[in-house]
Every structure is written in C-alpha cells, then in structure tokens.
Amino acid sequence: SKDRGIYKTTDGGNNWEKILYIDENTGAIDLVMHPENPDLIYAATWQRIRKKWNDPRNEEGYRGSGIWKTTDAGKNWKQVNNGLPEAGFRGRIGLDIARSNPQVLYAFVDNYEITRDAYGEEEDSYGRPKGGVIRGATVYRTDNSADSWYKVSGLTEETAAYMESHSATYGWVFGQIRVDPSDENTIYTMGLGLH
C-alpha cells in the first residue's frame, strides 16, 4: 500500500509526516541514528510480497531493497549501497552503528544470489527438493559512514558454509545485527540461533 515508508513526528506523536517513500511494495525494515547527531540517520528498505505458498523471495524487477542515508533529519535521502549485492539480490537488511566509532556500521543482508546448486537429494526447510542455494546471511561493514561497504562474512570456505546455514531460508524473519557498544569489531547476529 502507499502507507509504506518512514514517518517522523516532531510533536510527541500527535502528527506524523512521511519522510521516506520508495513505492507501494517497499517498506522500511530498520533504522539507526548516529549516537551524537540525531540528524544523521540510516534506513534499510525492503521490497517484498509474501505469497501464501512461499516465503518472501525476490522477484524479477525488484529494486527497492537497500540502504538510505539522511544528514538533515529526513528532509533528503540518498542511497548508500556501494559494495552491497545488486539491488535484485538484496532481501531484508538489518543495520547497526558502532557507538564507539559511529563511522562504522554493519549491514546484515539476506542475499538472494545463487551460490551453488543443491547437492543430490538435498531438501529445503519445507522438505521440498532444493533448487539453487542462495547465499543468505551476509554481513557487510563500512568504515566511512556508508560511502562504501565491504563484505566481512564468509571469507573462507569454512565460514561461507557456516553463514549459508546461519539463517537457512529464514533470513527474512531474523535479519538483525548488533554492534558491541564498546568494540566496533564485535558483532552479534540473530539467525536460527544467536551468533
């Protein structure tokens, strides 16, 4: 619906103004604010429709999922997706900012890139024959306030296999990440378990 988007109140909730709208199929899924500058906000948007027979999946032409940044409390927004997967592969995105170094943010992307074919008789989470296996849970980091992102998860064969099973096909359910408030290099992700 056209009600999707981000709304802002400046009078304690008596009135709301829509400050970010992508389209009727794309909503906002996460927001983080700079700990010292409330005008600097990052938002993750997610284009999705859940059909009754399947988990939400990206479809042909999906371009609405991504990360946005405002430096003027929501008057203007710009996309900050440099280094993330192509828009057509981005699903739900969780965000967090490092309170100890606010130029550092992390994005937990449910990534729909096909990473490999299914092994033999491999089944999906519903017991159906599995098709191409999506990359799934993928973590990206920025050190420059989202001017550019780089991948920090699954960099070895062992950790890539670990991340593939992190959320299974349920990345659209979890998709949350938290940065330790005193250590920009320690993060927590929520998947089938807490990691």
Side-chain angles (χ1 to χ4, degrees), residues 14-59:
N14 290 320
N15 297 285
W16 292 87
E17 172 191 6
K18 189 187 296 185
I19 59 171
L20 180 63
Y21 176 75
I22 309 305
D23 60 48
E24 62 185 19
N25 297 316
T26 304
I29 190 65
D30 211 350
L31 282 170
V32 292
M33 183 182 292
H34 190 287
E36 296 152 9
N37 177 4
D39 290 341
L40 178 50
I41 303 166
Y42 302 88
T45 57
W46 184 23
Q47 182 174 0
R48 66 163 291 219
I49 293 175
R50 184 167 189 192
K51 297 176 179 172
K52 63 184 176 181
W53 59 84
N54 207 351
D55 294 341
R57 284 287 178 258
N58 284 14
E59 297 186 18

Side-chain angles (χ1 to χ4, degrees), residues 14-162:
N14 290 320
N15 297 285
W16 292 87
E17 172 191 6
K18 189 187 296 185
I19 59 171
L20 180 63
Y21 176 75
I22 309 305
D23 60 48
E24 62 185 19
N25 297 316
T26 304
I29 190 65
D30 211 350
L31 282 170
V32 292
M33 183 182 292
H34 190 287
E36 296 152 9
N37 177 4
D39 290 341
L40 178 50
I41 303 166
Y42 302 88
T45 57
W46 184 23
Q47 182 174 0
R48 66 163 291 219
I49 293 175
R50 184 167 189 192
K51 297 176 179 172
K52 63 184 176 181
W53 59 84
N54 207 351
D55 294 341
R57 284 287 178 258
N58 284 14
E59 297 186 18
E60 186 85 24
Y62 271 22
R63 296 288 177 265
S65 299
I67 302 174
W68 299 78
K69 177 181 178 179
T70 178
T71 57
D72 55 13
K75 290 185 185 83
N76 298 285
W77 294 86
K78 71 174 184 174
Q79 292 189 55
V80 287
N81 298 307
N82 183 29
L84 296 179
E86 290 179 30
F89 296 123
R90 295 191 294 255
R92 178 178 179 164
I93 301 172
L95 296 173
D96 202 16
I97 191 167
R99 276 98 186 128
S100 60
N101 180 2
Q103 289 199 354
V104 173
L105 290 94
Y106 288 88
F108 182 26
V109 179
D110 190 23
N111 185 340
Y112 289 98
E113 291 177 279
I114 300 298
T115 186
R116 65 172 176 83
D117 291 327
Y119 299 132
E121 304 284 322
E122 197 174 7
E123 296 179 340
D124 69 13
S125 299
Y126 298 100
R128 301 173 297 196
K130 192 181 256 189
V133 177
I134 63 170
R135 194 169 301 282
T138 313
V139 179
Y140 292 84
R141 175 178 167 148
T142 177
D143 298 316
N144 54 19
S145 302
D147 287 341
S148 60
W149 298 87
Y150 59 96
K151 189 172 150 188
V152 293
S153 67
L155 301 180
T156 66
E157 192 173 314
E158 179 183 359
T159 59
Y162 175 81

